[in-house]
Amino acid sequence: MTDSIPVTPERALAPRRSHVSSPGKRRAKQVNAHRRREARTAYVFLAPWFIGLFVITIGPILASLYLSFTDYNLLESAKWVGWDNYSKLFTVDTRFLASLKVTTVYVVVSVPMQLAFALVLALALDRGLRGLSFYRSIYYLPSLLGGSVAVAILWRKIFGSDGLVNAVLSVFGVQGAGWVSDPDTALGTLILLHVWTFGAPMVIFLAGLRQIPQSYYEAAQVDGAGRLRQFRSITLPLLTPIIFFNLVLEVIKSFQSFTQSFIVSSGTGGPADSTLFYTLYLYLKGFKSYEMGYAAAMAWVLLLIIAGLTGVNFLASKYWVFYGDTK
């Protein structure tokens, strides 16, 4: 008798997991790989800009910050002096304070005059003159040429003792002075030169005027508002963002003015430091007296002044700048 061998039913085999991704996952992987390739390509094309940012911009900025705390004359190694340069600026150096005063007067007087003149001219050009593009180009030219050496030389000739201004005054029997050689009038000639470069803000004002709906003026005319009331109640409030934009740009640009003062005063800031702009004095300290550490400290003070005034303008803008229906 033979032993029987029990037979057990075979266990059902568990289905194997497929290692092949679903179409959706494959698509997601392809999209991610494509995005990574695009990112790498973008960084390659942006590499020159990043190199310029760190090597040409951020690097020199940090270097100047370090030099502002040193005694450095370009020929010898920089010697750390701490806050001595900054202390000397405000306590010892009277020419620094004079240059700061001259530049402040220049900015406070010339910027409002320039913006007012540019706005008036933009209002005149906005009346639908024939050949508007031609006039706009002609009036924009002073902004392109005003900061050039050639125009500064011409300006010095015009306001010289035997210049065009005195020639015109002599026709009426008026004996003119040497406008650029008189401490009382030399800065005024530079202010006039800055006002003359009204082209850039004028074009921006003109673009802003073109964005004001004509229906506002038509409604105001129906209500009996005159031109002055329309300007005060419609044009000026709706143009405040453009005024603010021009104001910030022109204040920054005015504090950085250099060429006009350098050429008109022959690089001295004279007569009697009446045209000694801040940037001109910085140049004289850094590249004439070779006090590069001191000049770096002046540059950082100028940066803080411009940043502070820009911040004040932005804080004050909420009280007078209108954006649509908000104040």
Side-chain angles (χ1 to χ4, degrees):
M1 187 172 180
T2 59
D3 296 336
S4 60
I5 299 175
V7 178
T8 58
E10 295 180 1
R11 290 187 301 176
L13 296 176
R16 294 182 178 180
R17 294 182 180 179
S18 176
H19 295 285
V20 180
S21 301
S22 63
K25 292 183 178 179
R26 288 200 304 269
R27 177 62 180 171
K29 289 182 179 179
Q30 291 175 355
V31 171
N32 291 333
H34 179 68
R35 289 178 177 174
R36 286 194 294 269
R37 286 195 299 269
E38 285 187 336
R40 287 194 295 268
T41 303
Y43 284 124
V44 169
F45 281 101
L46 287 173
W49 183 85
F50 280 115
I51 294 173
L53 174 65
F54 289 102
V55 176
I56 300 177
T57 303
I58 296 180
I61 288 176
L62 296 178
S64 70
L65 179 60
Y66 166 75
L67 291 177
S68 68
F69 294 98
T70 65
D71 180 11
Y72 180 51
N73 60 6
L74 293 176
L75 302 176
E76 301 176 353
S77 300
K79 299 178 182 178
W80 183 266
V81 295
W83 294 95
D84 288 356
N85 289 331
Y86 293 94
S87 175
K88 181 180 176 182
L89 282 174
F90 294 98
T91 59
V92 179
D93 194 348
T94 57
R95 292 197 76 191
F96 166 78
L97 298 177
S99 68
L100 188 59
K101 178 182 177 181
V102 169
T103 307
T104 302
V105 172
Y106 174 77
V107 173
V108 170
V109 177
S110 66
V111 171
M113 289 178 61
Q114 184 196 50
L115 295 184
F117 189 70
L119 179 57
V120 170
L121 206 54
L123 289 169
L125 293 177
D126 191 46
R127 298 175 64 88
L129 296 177
R130 295 181 60 183
L132 176 60
S133 58
F134 172 76
Y135 288 108
R136 187 167 50 194
S137 301
I138 291 298
Y139 288 134
Y140 186 70
L141 281 177
S143 291
L144 298 177
L145 303 175
S148 65
V149 175
V151 171
I153 294 175
L154 178 63
W155 209 257
R156 186 174 62 181
K157 294 293 184 181
I158 290 175
F159 287 93
S161 301
D162 54 351
L164 179 62
V165 173
N166 286 342
V168 174
L169 291 177
S170 63
V171 175
F172 301 95
V174 178
Q175 181 65 34
W179 304 96
V180 295
S181 59
D182 189 342
D184 296 329
T185 58
L187 182 60
T189 62
L190 298 182
I191 291 174
L192 288 178
L193 177 57
H194 184 76
V195 174
W196 181 68
T197 61
F198 60 86
M202 183 211 68
V203 171
I204 298 174
F205 278 137
L206 187 58
L209 290 171
R210 291 302 177 91
Q211 299 301 315
I212 300 177
Q214 192 64 28
S215 58
Y216 291 176
Y217 297 103
E218 295 173 355
Q221 289 177 354
V222 172
D223 291 338
R227 291 188 178 275
L228 183 59
R229 182 60 184 273
Q230 292 178 26
F231 173 77
R232 189 177 60 185
S233 301
I234 299 175
T235 306
L236 203 56
L238 295 180
L239 210 60
T240 49
I242 307 298
I243 297 174
F244 172 67
F245 177 77
N246 278 330
L247 176 64
V248 171
L249 288 186
E250 292 302 322
V251 167
I252 294 174
K253 186 172 70 174
S254 299
F255 267 103
Q256 296 175 337
S257 296
F258 169 78
T259 305
Q260 303 92 323
S261 174
F262 181 83
I263 298 300
V264 170
S265 67
S266 299
T268 63
D273 288 346
S274 60
T275 61
L276 185 64
F277 283 2
Y278 192 104
T279 51
L280 175 59
Y281 188 50
L282 189 154
Y283 166 81
L284 293 176
K285 280 295 183 180
F287 297 97
K288 292 292 185 179
S289 301
Y290 297 105
E291 299 179 34
M292 190 58 65
Y294 193 77
M298 289 185 61
W300 275 91
V301 171
L302 179 61
L303 173 64
L304 294 177
I305 292 173
I306 293 176
L309 289 177
T310 304
V312 169
N313 281 330
F314 272 94
L315 291 176
S317 65
K318 63 182 180 181
Y319 297 107
W320 64 276
V321 178
F322 296 83
Y323 297 98
D325 296 332
T326 61
K327 181 176 179 181

